[in-house]
Amino acid sequence: MYVLRILISQPLRLLLTLLGIALCIILIMFILGIYNGVAEGSVEYIRKTKADIWVLQANSTNIIRGTSLLPAIYLNAIKKDKAVKNATSVLILLTNIKIKNVNATVLLTGYVPGSEGGPPIINEGREINSNNEIILDRSFSAKYNINIDDEVFINEDTLRVVGICSGTNAVVTQYAFVTLEYEQSTIELPGLASFFILNCNKGSNLSDLQKRIESMFPGRFSIYQNRKFLENNIAEMEAGILPLFFAIAAIGGVVLAIILSLILSVNILERRKDFALMKLLGSPKSYLYILIISQALILSLISELLGVILFYPIVNFIENISPEVNTIINYDHLIYITLATCIISLLSALFSFGRIRKIYPLEVFS
């Protein structure tokens, strides 16, 4: 009760403190949510593609931050291997697309309709059937208010939107899907591919197939089994953005710790005579320390509850303004944030213990 009496003795200051801490927690949640959204969107295309083997240009390890260009003619030779069930080419290029007099950039992905390499999930509309059709990412279509049957333009060509897909939002850019033939025509190189996707017969030894392709075209390809290729892309994505997100989240954590330490120290100074009296009456140090820790935990947990309540309306507002912003927060993430908040609270309380130690019992008579 004494702890609560200390906290509510200054209602306005308590409210501002709770809002300040809640905003720090919202910032940490937002950064974590953005990271999860980027992590999912960047590799969802690869994760959903049912490939046994990915064949890329030599020295290429991923498609997140790398370029791979191959002559598609090699695929005909690879297809002849008895272990290969299906094989297809995919070409991905950063391409400008014109929408209602606005220019935007997409990862234009050319694939053979009905084969692997297309959109992971089509939420509205259908698969493309011809060269004048296109499937757009859901967040991209929401950002530019594009619907099924609308038209977009690439160079001098008019393409009709026949599908809206998901799992293709990498935040920085989004995937769009056209036929491989059309994609190759945009650069006037009909035989070009970014990579080959191979599906193998059941029971095939994938390592042996890798060796046979490498011996067939020595030094031409980088060949990965699906799991390894997915790991490469995740590692590349994490190496690119993870340090930045950690830095911003760490700043939020430091600000939270500073706010808590300041409010705890002010409360101790304002209640200096109370603490002196408790010391004079023989209260153990542990009791005084528990008072401070209790304040820190109560402030943090109430602020986190407030932060969670405010987080979703704020994120919905941001996503309505910028549909490409995709945040993912689940119960596991909330548990981690709660643990981190409790740890920061305990550290802030530890920093404030020095104020308690400097209070002398005889100060009660001053």
Side-chain angles (χ1 to χ4, degrees), residues 249-263:
I251 291 172
V254 169
V255 173
L256 192 156
I258 291 172
I259 293 175
L260 267 176
S261 297
L262 285 175
I263 198 65

Side-chain angles (χ1 to χ4, degrees), residues 133-146:
E133 295 177 341
I134 188 170
I135 296 174
L136 297 176
D137 173 78
R138 182 169 56 184
S139 60
F140 184 86
S141 63
K143 180 178 181 180
Y144 293 99
N145 193 26
I146 305 171

Side-chain angles (χ1 to χ4, degrees), residues 122-243:
I122 298 178
N123 302 97
E124 298 177 49
R126 58 169 174 79
E127 177 81 274
I128 54 177
N129 291 326
S130 62
N131 289 345
N132 63 345
E133 295 177 341
I134 188 170
I135 296 174
L136 297 176
D137 173 78
R138 182 169 56 184
S139 60
F140 184 86
S141 63
K143 180 178 181 180
Y144 293 99
N145 193 26
I146 305 171
N147 299 303
I148 301 292
D149 289 333
D150 284 351
E151 292 180 341
V152 298
F153 307 92
I154 297 177
N155 297 328
E156 301 299 323
D157 303 319
T158 302
L159 285 81
R160 188 165 67 92
V161 179
V162 297
I164 305 295
C165 63
S166 60
T168 49
N169 175 19
V171 179
V172 176
T173 187
Q174 291 77 42
Y175 287 79
F177 296 88
V178 294
T179 64
L180 177 64
E181 183 181 12
Y182 175 75
E183 174 83 324
Q184 291 171 332
S185 71
T186 62
I187 53 173
E188 299 182 358
L189 290 171
L192 202 63
S194 295
F195 50 83
F196 305 142
I197 296 173
L198 308 185
N199 297 116
C200 299
N201 291 311
K202 192 174 181 180
S204 299
N205 188 314
L206 300 183
S207 298
D208 288 347
L209 175 59
Q210 282 182 253
K211 292 175 183 175
R212 288 198 295 273
I213 296 174
E214 285 168 352
S215 63
M216 199 183 308
F217 301 102
R220 294 277 186 179
F221 301 136
S222 291
I223 306 169
Y224 303 99
Q225 295 183 27
N226 192 53
R227 184 173 180 177
K228 176 61 179 173
F229 188 60
L230 180 60
E231 290 174 354
N232 286 352
N233 283 273
I234 291 174
E236 192 65 31
M237 181 271 301
E238 290 180 343
I241 62 172
L242 197 57

Side-chain angles (χ1 to χ4, degrees), residues 56-116:
L56 290 85
Q57 173 186 315
N59 204 40
S60 294
T61 61
N62 68 92
I63 60 173
I64 298 287
R65 294 199 304 169
T67 299
S68 171
L69 293 174
L70 295 169
I73 192 171
Y74 290 138
L75 188 63
N76 294 328
I78 294 173
K79 280 181 177 177
K80 293 178 182 176
D81 192 288
K82 59 183 179 182
V84 177
K85 182 179 180 181
N86 295 304
T88 187
S89 300
V90 175
L91 177 60
I92 298 180
L93 298 169
L94 275 170
T95 304
N96 287 320
I97 183 170
K98 193 172 184 179
I99 307 150
K100 302 172 184 174
N101 297 321
V102 176
N103 287 313
T105 301
V106 295
L107 274 173
L108 195 64
T109 305
Y111 74 106
V112 178
S115 301
E116 293 296 334

Side-chain angles (χ1 to χ4, degrees), residues 274-303:
D274 290 357
F275 284 103
L277 180 60
M278 284 186 275
K279 283 190 172 183
L280 187 66
L281 294 176
S283 298
K285 288 182 179 178
S286 59
Y287 174 77
L288 302 179
Y289 293 161
I290 288 173
L291 282 179
I292 304 303
I293 292 173
S294 300
Q295 286 184 59
L297 289 176
I298 289 172
L299 286 171
S300 298
L301 293 177
I302 293 176
S303 298

